[in-house]
Amino acid sequence: MMKPLPSRLEKDAGRLIRILPPDVSFVLIGYDPDPEVGLSLEGMASCWRNSQRYFGGHG
């Protein structure tokens, strides 16, 4: 897996923009390559739910 550098995320976003229909939006989520101790799948799911609420989706 490649490191999530800003340039990498920018390239990935550009790739998605080219393949998605023009009326479709997306959120590209990166990750911390050196996560803090105690990170869990439950914690990641909670962050995802919170971001869904922020963007008007369902969490």
Side-chain angles (χ1 to χ4, degrees):
M1 180 159 284
M2 302 180 100
K3 281 192 125 182
L5 301 172
S7 59
R8 180 80 231 159
L9 292 173
E10 214 174 307
K11 275 180 138 176
D12 290 345
R15 196 173 296 122
L16 285 170
I17 288 168
R18 285 192 300 276
I19 64 174
L20 289 174
D23 60 338
V24 173
S25 61
F26 66 93
V27 175
L28 184 61
I29 299 173
Y31 65 93
D32 185 349
D34 299 313
E36 56 189 68
V37 175
L39 185 66
S40 68
L41 187 55
E42 182 179 337
M44 291 168 59
S46 174
C47 287
W48 175 251
R49 278 192 305 275
N50 291 337
S51 69
Q52 288 293 300
R53 290 186 191 113
Y54 176 80
F55 289 106
H58 304 284

